[in-house]
Amino acid sequence: TSDPPLSESDWTAAGLAAVNLIAISSLLATPNSNVDDHRRLADPAWLGMAADLQNASVFVAMAVEAHDRADFNRAADMLADTCQSCHDKFRVLPSNDTSRFAVR
């Protein structure tokens, strides 16, 4: 109830972001030449999470189309939870390069 109203340009930006995320979710489930992609695509959890991302993004787009702030907030929360759970499971951070900290 304390959220300020969204302007038409806010709704447009949110809609464009949702469309981009829908497209990205399709790419996440498409094989390419990257070895890590082949490993991820062999994992059913990865494909499920890519589908979850697409579904949450579609819900955001639907809320934007309806200019429904309550649905938009729920869908955005669902999207954030979906992203975080996937990152928690699959994000691989590079190891620290300690050579730059060598004294000599």
Side-chain angles (χ1 to χ4, degrees), residues 2-16:
S2 64
D3 291 329
L6 294 175
S7 69
E8 196 56 40
S9 66
D10 293 333
W11 284 114
T12 299
L16 291 172

Side-chain angles (χ1 to χ4, degrees), residues 3 6 11 14 55-79:
D3 291 329
L6 294 175
W11 284 114
N55 291 334
S57 301
V58 168
F59 285 131
V60 170
M62 291 169 55
V64 167
E65 174 116 3
H67 284 52
D68 186 319
R69 183 60 181 262
D71 280 351
F72 176 75
N73 287 346
R74 281 190 291 276
D77 287 344
M78 180 192 310
L79 179 62

Side-chain angles (χ1 to χ4, degrees), residues 22-40:
I22 292 166
I24 288 167
S25 64
S26 296
L27 292 175
L28 291 173
T30 303
N32 69 33
S33 60
N34 186 310
V35 173
D36 287 334
D37 284 345
H38 291 286
R39 178 183 49 77
R40 283 189 292 265

Side-chain angles (χ1 to χ4, degrees), residues 39-103:
R39 178 183 49 77
R40 283 189 292 265
L41 289 172
D43 188 333
W46 175 264
L47 295 175
M49 289 184 171
D52 291 346
L53 173 63
Q54 188 170 59
N55 291 334
S57 301
V58 168
F59 285 131
V60 170
M62 291 169 55
V64 167
E65 174 116 3
H67 284 52
D68 186 319
R69 183 60 181 262
D71 280 351
F72 176 75
N73 287 346
R74 281 190 291 276
D77 287 344
M78 180 192 310
L79 179 62
D81 291 344
T82 299
C83 291
Q84 189 59 55
S85 65
C86 187
H87 283 249
D88 289 346
K89 181 168 178 62
F90 288 103
R91 182 184 294 158
V92 178
L93 299 175
S95 59
N96 291 332
D97 177 13
T98 58
S99 65
R100 63 188 171 153
F101 299 112
V103 175

